[in-house]
Amino acid sequence: MQINFSAFLDSLKYMGQGMVGIFAVTLVIILAIVLLNKLTAKK
Protein backbone atom coordinates (compact mmCIF):
# COMPACT_ATOMS: atom_id res chain seq x y z
CA MET A 1 0.00 0.00 0.00
CA GLN A 2 1.36 3.39 -0.98
CA ILE A 3 0.57 6.56 0.92
CA ASN A 4 -0.05 9.73 -1.07
CA PHE A 5 1.86 12.17 1.13
CA SER A 6 0.88 15.30 -0.78
CA ALA A 7 -2.82 14.43 -0.47
CA PHE A 8 -2.30 13.94 3.26
CA LEU A 9 -0.68 17.37 3.57
CA ASP A 10 -3.52 18.93 1.56
CA SER A 11 -6.10 17.39 3.88
CA LEU A 12 -4.42 18.76 7.02
CA LYS A 13 -6.05 22.15 6.42
CA TYR A 14 -9.53 20.60 6.49
CA MET A 15 -8.71 18.44 9.51
CA GLY A 16 -7.50 21.55 11.34
CA GLN A 17 -10.71 23.40 10.51
CA GLY A 18 -12.70 20.45 11.84
CA MET A 19 -10.74 20.44 15.09
CA VAL A 20 -11.31 24.21 15.51
CA GLY A 21 -15.02 23.67 14.91
CA ILE A 22 -15.23 20.89 17.49
CA PHE A 23 -13.34 23.06 20.00
CA ALA A 24 -15.67 26.01 19.37
CA VAL A 25 -18.83 23.94 19.82
CA THR A 26 -17.45 22.41 23.03
CA LEU A 27 -16.63 25.87 24.36
CA VAL A 28 -20.16 27.12 23.59
CA ILE A 29 -21.68 24.13 25.40
CA ILE A 30 -19.47 24.68 28.46
CA LEU A 31 -20.35 28.39 28.55
CA ALA A 32 -24.07 27.58 28.25
CA ILE A 33 -23.84 25.13 31.18
CA VAL A 34 -22.00 27.67 33.35
CA LEU A 35 -24.52 30.38 32.48
CA LEU A 36 -27.49 28.12 33.25
CA ASN A 37 -25.93 27.14 36.57
CA LYS A 38 -25.54 30.81 37.52
CA LEU A 39 -29.07 31.69 36.45
CA THR A 40 -30.81 28.77 38.14
CA ALA A 41 -28.71 28.37 41.30
CA LYS A 42 -30.57 28.53 44.58
CA LYS A 43 -29.51 31.54 46.58
Side-chain angles (χ1 to χ4, degrees):
M1 179 175 172
Q2 179 141 3
I3 296 173
N4 188 348
F5 195 68
S6 65
F8 171 72
L9 291 178
D10 291 339
S11 69
L12 281 177
K13 180 176 94 170
Y14 302 108
M15 287 190 275
Q17 289 174 348
M19 291 295 289
V20 169
I22 291 169
F23 179 75
V25 169
T26 304
L27 193 61
V28 167
I29 291 171
I30 290 171
L31 290 174
I33 291 171
V34 168
L35 183 64
L36 284 172
N37 277 336
K38 287 188 186 294
L39 291 176
T40 61
K42 292 183 179 179
K43 297 182 176 168

